Amino acid sequence: MSNFEYRVGLGHDTHRLVTGRALIIGGVRIEFDRGLDGHSDADILLHAITDAVLGAAGLGDIGDAFPDTDPANKGLDSAIFLNAALDRVKGLGWCPVNLDCTIFAQRPKLVPYKAAIRGRVAELVGLPFDSVNVKAKTGEKVGPIGREEAMSADAIVLLRRESS
Ligand code: MG
């Protein structure tokens, strides 16, 4: 009989909304008149998930692994950050068990995109659809989220590995 050890990790990210950028959340292109500003594709959800994965394994954060001062990371698909983080934790024997996340955006309504985001995140993390949950909240029209100045995401990931 196997014994398992478990670790939980938390991630958070915020990016500013600007004109002239595509809006990409959880690897899914969202129709909107603005997008998130950043060095990479500024995918708040994949950045939060990457931090949660790294955090669960005690491996620091996305900024340690992929500095935004590195020209190689400019305009990069954030799935590359997440894949690299997953490779590192898997190299230590860890496997994701489940993932929950919340996206904070005043507009546009994310309801039509939630299933696609959930599916894409499940695919990227290598989990079944029902082991990934995606929630969306507005900013109630107050603060930087509510005034549509920024969007944020929170993520939490559970990792498991066989005890030696
Ligand atoms: Mg970020």
Side-chain angles (χ1 to χ4, degrees):
M1 202 181 97
S2 301
N3 283 318
F4 291 100
E5 52 183 323
Y6 293 87
R7 293 287 160 81
V8 68
L10 180 70
H12 175 84
D13 196 31
T14 299
H15 282 263
R16 287 187 306 121
L17 267 170
V18 293
T19 53
R21 292 266 300 182
L23 178 59
I24 298 163
I25 302 178
V28 174
R29 174 73 189 264
I30 313 275
E31 281 304 317
F32 196 46
D33 59 359
R34 281 160 292 156
L36 295 168
D37 195 22
H39 191 66
S40 65
D41 66 3
D43 188 325
I44 40 169
L45 183 56
L46 295 192
H47 292 184
I49 294 170
T50 300
D51 263 354
V53 167
L54 292 171
L59 295 174
D61 66 32
I62 192 171
D64 299 335
F66 304 100
D68 64 6
T69 49
D70 185 345
N73 298 330
K74 195 165 169 54
L76 210 64
D77 177 350
S78 295
I80 291 167
F81 302 148
L82 178 55
N83 280 327
L86 287 163
D87 283 348
R88 286 181 66 194
V89 302
K90 284 176 186 165
L92 297 169
W94 296 109
C95 262
V97 177
N98 77 304
L99 182 159
D100 190 18
C101 60
T102 307
I103 304 159
F104 299 86
Q106 186 63 40
R107 278 195 317 134
K109 279 265 170 268
L110 295 176
V111 171
Y113 296 97
K114 274 176 16 182
I117 293 170
R118 190 177 176 188
R120 179 63 181 145
V121 168
E123 183 184 16
L124 285 171
V125 179
L127 282 171
F129 188 79
D130 65 4
S131 298
V132 171
N133 192 62
V134 174
K135 307 186 294 294
K137 296 262 186 223
T138 72
E140 292 291 336
K141 298 187 176 166
V142 296
I145 306 292
R147 291 190 300 264
E148 300 182 21
E149 295 166 3
M151 292 181 179
S152 293
D154 288 338
I156 189 162
V157 173
L158 184 68
L159 301 181
R160 177 177 83 171
R161 76 176 170 191
E162 246 177 275
S163 304
S164 45

